[in-house]
């Protein structure tokens, strides 16, 4: 199973078509919004009260909302002021995703090589649909 973390701003028509492929599991965490189109992460990174997410009505365990051992390094790479981006990357890492799809070129997609070196999560801008398909095929061929 290939796990893909998808920021909600990346759910384009092309990305939604990917969901129909077998062996792909899409995850997100509602840092900003919610959707029923893909599965919520159960291990959101560094969840704070200011996120306005109510754990009492959720199946997410409080112990699973802590940040990972890579959080500080991700923060150093992306910049402390990009808190949401750090959460997305760290959540993808905690969930053992192989791919992160983002609408953010500046702070995530432009650092894809460094993020991959650190987390083993390959980041793509949602407009890079052909590259995403090629990467998925490469992952499938490795298994």
């Amino acid at each position: 199973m290939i796990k893909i973390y998808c920021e909600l701003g990346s759910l384009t028509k092309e990305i939604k078509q990917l969901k129909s492929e077998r062996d792909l599991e899409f995850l997100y965490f509602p840092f900003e919004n919610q959707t029923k189109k893909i599965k919520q992460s159960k291990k959101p990174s560094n969840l704070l009260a200011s996120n306005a997410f109510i754990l009492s009505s959720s199946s997410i365990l409080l112990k699973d909302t802590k940040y990972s051992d890579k959080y500080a390094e991700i923060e150093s790479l992306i910049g402390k002021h990009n808190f949401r981006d750090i959460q997305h990357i760290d959540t993808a890492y905690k969930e053992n995703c192989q791919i992160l799809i983002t609408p953010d070129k500046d702070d995530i997609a432009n650092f894809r090589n460094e993020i991959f070196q650190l987390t083993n999560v390959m980041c793509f801008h949602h407009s890079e649909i052909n590259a995403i398909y090629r990467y998925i095929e490469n992952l499938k061929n490795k298994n």
Side-chain angles (χ1 to χ4, degrees), residues 2-139:
I2 297 171
K3 292 177 84 173
I4 300 173
Y5 183 95
C6 187
E7 289 186 57
L8 293 185
S10 293
L11 280 176
T12 63
K13 184 174 105 177
E14 293 84 6
I15 299 300
K16 288 177 186 174
Q17 288 175 343
L18 262 177
K19 286 179 29 201
S20 64
E21 287 203 26
R22 293 177 352 155
D23 301 329
L24 301 181
E25 179 181 9
F26 280 77
L27 298 173
Y28 86 101
F29 191 77
F31 293 126
E32 293 107 359
N33 296 303
Q34 291 190 10
T35 185
K36 293 181 180 179
K37 295 180 183 354
I38 55 180
K39 185 177 161 184
Q40 286 186 6
S41 166
K42 297 296 183 191
K43 298 177 183 177
S45 176
N46 203 19
L47 189 64
L48 305 173
S50 60
N51 288 119
F53 186 79
I54 301 169
L55 287 172
S56 63
S57 63
S58 169
S59 61
I60 297 171
L61 301 175
L62 189 57
K63 71 176 180 65
D64 291 333
T65 65
K66 296 186 75 80
Y67 51 83
S68 78
D69 60 327
K70 302 285 185 183
Y71 187 90
E73 292 174 88
I74 296 167
E75 182 181 68
S76 177
L77 176 65
I78 302 300
K80 198 173 206 165
H81 60 284
N82 294 313
F83 178 71
R84 295 275 190 233
D85 295 335
I86 298 163
Q87 282 182 304
H88 289 302
I89 296 164
D90 199 46
T91 300
Y93 169 70
K94 286 175 57 179
E95 286 282 5
N96 297 312
C97 293
Q98 291 98 329
I99 298 172
L100 183 152
I101 302 174
T102 180
D104 186 338
K105 279 188 180 176
D106 294 334
D107 300 315
I108 297 180
N110 283 344
F111 288 97
R112 80 179 80 220
N113 293 328
E114 294 88 343
I115 293 168
F116 182 77
Q117 291 287 321
L118 184 59
T119 64
N120 209 32
V121 176
M122 182 56 76
C123 300
F124 293 95
H125 186 263
H126 61 81
S127 66
E128 300 175 293
I129 193 67
N130 291 331
I132 294 168
Y133 272 104
R134 282 193 304 274
Y135 194 75
I136 289 169
E137 285 306 311
N138 287 338
L139 290 172

